[in-house]
Amino acid sequence: MSKYDELYNKIRKEIISGQLISGARLPSVRKAAILYGVSRTTVQNAYFALAADGFIISEPQSGYYVSYQAAKHIETENRSSINNIVYDFKSGSADKESFEFDLWRRYMKNALRQDDRLLSYSEAQGEYELREVLSDYIREKRNVVTSPNRIVIGAGVQSLLSILCSLIDEKYDVSFPDKSFVQGASLFEDYGFEIKYRYKDAKIIYVSPSHMTKLGDVMPNKRRIELVKHSAKSNSLIIEDDYESDFQYNSMPTPSLHALAGGSNVVYMGSFSSLLLPSIRISFMVLTEELAQKYKSNIYKYNQTAGKTEQIALCQYIRDGHLKAQIRKTRRFYTSKAKVFAALLSNEFKDAEIEISENALQVIMSIEFSKDVEEFERNGIAVSVESYENNKIKVVFNTGAVPQNMFTPAVSALKKALI
């Protein structure tokens, strides 16, 4: 498959999956060439083909946008895909057994009874009581010491990154660990920042230490210390996305970069989607003192994106100790699922190399394979393909969304796809 075909299929899938919605602006040809590591000609040809098939449109003097006609493609393709996928090892969806819905409903109902509070909009920075609780929570959990006044709440990390980008005047180079951080990289690019990968001289360094890649790699302590020292020496800003820091089973607990740096030059970001439910869109960031002051001066420009009712509910949920209990439960639950699935794969595929990721949320298998990768979907399986060359494929299974009682038939379907 040519590079042009690969890029065409990649962007097409992002549109079909809903990652790129109708009206979304695509990176310029020049920026896309850097982002995807291909030539401008390759990007141009891929864009032309996408436009010819109705997925994107070209606006003169403006750029390329996802076509509103693409919704028809999305509806058709998604209906076919959804009907075909039985075992979804690709999505970040949760297992319903991992969460106590009745308990959460109780807190939501209690929040809805607070009539006077619900008559007003949420504070732009987020409800103060929740920021106060979060300040205690991250100090105890990750040794991130901050006042509630430096915490900003939002509906997801991407909305918070948008605020952060608006607070940074100089459009510096931004370094990402690899090209899998597409949404974050695209957002910085939209604000005029130059995107690079593993670039040591970048003035802004975006890292997710507890989930460095989709293989669940955890940044070792030595590297964390080196990064903090480099940041201090070069006066660069670290954005620490502490995603899945609660899921480190196969390695020793590691300190946050924020704690190692004493809060200097580090913006700390956290979220509850992995611990609670993906649909509970509450994230937060801890700004440096300088950025916090700038945010305060410009707070009139921002609206709160997270629901006030959910903020009130989450605040009391944490106060009553349920988040700690949920962390313990989720750790046990998902590490058990990963081990069970890895054991089933080992029994069925004797010649395969099978391992569990450092955070124990993914099972990784390398095996001989000579078919088309679409063979997985034809057998009702959705997986992430990490690499495929020389008749050997490495696939990543996220066991979270598949009930454990479906593991055995899933392995049988996988055998049909591989053999």
Side-chain angles (χ1 to χ4, degrees):
M1 183 182 293
S2 67
K3 288 185 177 180
Y4 137 69
D5 286 322
E6 289 178 0
L7 182 57
Y8 169 90
N9 288 328
K10 178 179 178 58
I11 298 174
R12 177 177 175 274
K13 286 180 180 179
E14 288 174 356
I15 294 172
I16 291 171
S17 67
Q19 288 178 269
L20 290 173
I21 61 173
S22 297
R25 186 176 184 274
L26 273 64
S28 66
V29 172
R30 180 183 65 82
K31 290 181 178 179
I34 297 171
L35 181 64
Y36 296 110
V38 296
S39 68
R40 294 187 187 185
T41 301
T42 296
V43 176
Q44 191 74 67
N45 289 339
Y47 279 7
F48 282 156
L50 287 163
D53 290 343
F55 286 99
I56 65 174
I57 57 173
S58 174
E59 292 287 349
Q61 309 302 318
S62 180
Y64 290 91
Y65 296 83
V66 177
S67 168
Y68 288 94
Q69 294 291 326
K72 296 179 180 179
H73 293 279
I74 294 170
E75 183 180 356
T76 302
E77 299 253 355
N78 274 351
R79 188 185 299 118
S80 173
S81 178
I82 291 170
N83 290 339
N84 189 45
I85 298 301
V86 181
Y87 313 104
D88 184 4
F89 291 103
K90 190 173 183 178
S91 77
S93 300
D95 189 315
K96 65 180 181 180
E97 298 298 325
S98 69
F99 189 69
E100 294 184 53
F101 286 91
D102 288 340
L103 178 62
W104 180 250
R105 286 191 193 98
R106 196 164 77 213
Y107 280 90
M108 286 293 290
K109 287 179 181 178
N110 182 62
L112 288 168
R113 293 190 189 100
Q114 301 185 37
D115 298 359
D116 291 342
R117 291 185 67 181
L118 297 180
L119 290 173
S120 61
Y121 291 105
S122 177
E123 296 177 47
Q125 194 169 343
E127 294 301 290
Y128 184 82
E129 287 186 344
L130 177 56
R131 287 187 278 125
E132 197 172 39
V133 167
L134 289 176
S135 177
D136 293 336
Y137 168 73
I138 58 179
R139 182 178 64 250
E140 180 182 346
K141 183 177 80 86
R142 301 293 286 144
N143 196 25
V144 173
V145 180
T146 184
S147 73
N149 294 326
R150 284 171 54 186
I151 296 176
V152 181
I153 293 168
V157 168
Q158 197 161 15
S159 67
L160 294 173
L161 285 177
S162 181
I163 294 174
L164 182 59
C165 286
S166 71
L167 296 175
I168 303 173
D169 294 325
E170 298 292 332
K171 303 308 177 187
Y172 298 115
D173 292 337
V174 184
S175 173
F176 282 83
D178 59 40
K179 295 180 182 179
S180 65
F181 293 76
V182 176
Q183 293 181 344
S186 297
L187 191 146
F188 273 97
E189 201 168 40
D190 287 343
Y191 275 87
F193 293 87
E194 191 75 20
I195 305 303
K196 298 189 177 181
Y197 298 94
R198 295 183 179 275
Y199 181 51
K200 67 177 182 179
D201 293 326
K203 294 295 289 183
I204 302 174
I205 304 169
Y206 188 102
V207 288
S208 184
S210 299
H211 192 113
M212 289 291 290
T213 68
K214 61 185 176 183
L215 299 180
D217 298 325
V218 177
M219 183 184 288
N221 282 341
K222 181 180 178 182
R223 173 58 182 145
R224 291 173 189 246
I225 294 170
E226 289 173 350
L227 184 56
V228 167
K229 287 181 177 179
H230 169 76
S231 171
K233 184 177 179 180
S234 62
N235 194 32
S236 56
L237 177 70
I238 297 174
I239 301 173
E240 179 182 13
D241 183 348
D242 212 20
Y243 176 65
E244 292 185 349
S245 64
D246 291 295
F247 299 96
Q248 293 183 31
Y249 306 95
N250 298 335
S251 59
M252 294 295 290
T254 50
S256 68
L257 297 173
H258 189 282
L260 289 171
S264 301
N265 295 342
V266 179
V267 171
Y268 178 88
M269 310 194 79
S271 178
F272 298 99
S273 57
S274 295
L275 293 174
L276 303 177
L277 293 171
S279 57
I280 299 177
R281 302 292 292 164
I282 297 181
S283 299
F284 62 93
M285 69 176 170
V286 179
L287 295 171
T288 63
E289 187 62 42
E290 180 184 355
L291 289 172
Q293 290 299 325
K294 189 171 183 180
Y295 174 82
K296 285 290 187 182
S297 299
N298 292 274
I299 196 168
Y300 65 92
K301 297 179 181 179
Y302 308 108
N303 290 320
Q304 179 52 240
T305 53
K308 188 171 185 177
T309 306
E310 286 190 335
Q311 290 184 63
I312 294 170
L314 180 60
C315 177
Q316 195 59 46
Y317 183 89
I318 297 174
R319 276 179 175 166
D320 291 345
H322 294 300
L323 184 59
K324 291 180 181 178
Q326 176 65 17
I327 290 172
R328 292 192 295 270
K329 176 182 178 179
T330 307
R331 279 175 173 170
R332 291 193 301 267
F333 184 77
Y334 284 120
T335 191
S336 174
K337 286 187 70 175
K339 288 178 179 178
V340 169
F341 189 69
L344 288 172
L345 291 177
S346 296
N347 289 335
E348 188 64 52
F349 306 104
K350 304 294 184 183
D351 297 329
E353 300 172 20
I354 297 166
E355 60 180 314
I356 297 176
S357 63
E358 284 189 78
N359 60 18
L361 294 179
Q362 292 82 28
V363 178
I364 306 152
M365 180 172 74
S366 298
I367 192 170
E368 295 294 326
F369 185 67
S370 57
K371 300 180 182 179
D372 192 297
V373 292
E374 300 297 329
E375 196 66 30
F376 294 106
E377 188 171 317
R378 293 189 191 104
N379 284 275
I381 306 167
V383 294
S384 295
V385 177
E386 173 64 16
S387 62
Y388 183 23
E389 55 186 356
N390 299 324
N391 291 331
K392 191 165 188 177
I393 193 168
K394 177 184 282 189
V395 291
V396 182
F397 301 90
N398 189 329
T399 61
V402 181
Q404 190 166 315
N405 61 9
M406 295 180 69
F407 281 0
T408 299
V411 172
S412 297
L414 183 62
K415 186 175 182 179
K416 291 180 182 178
L418 291 171
I419 298 174

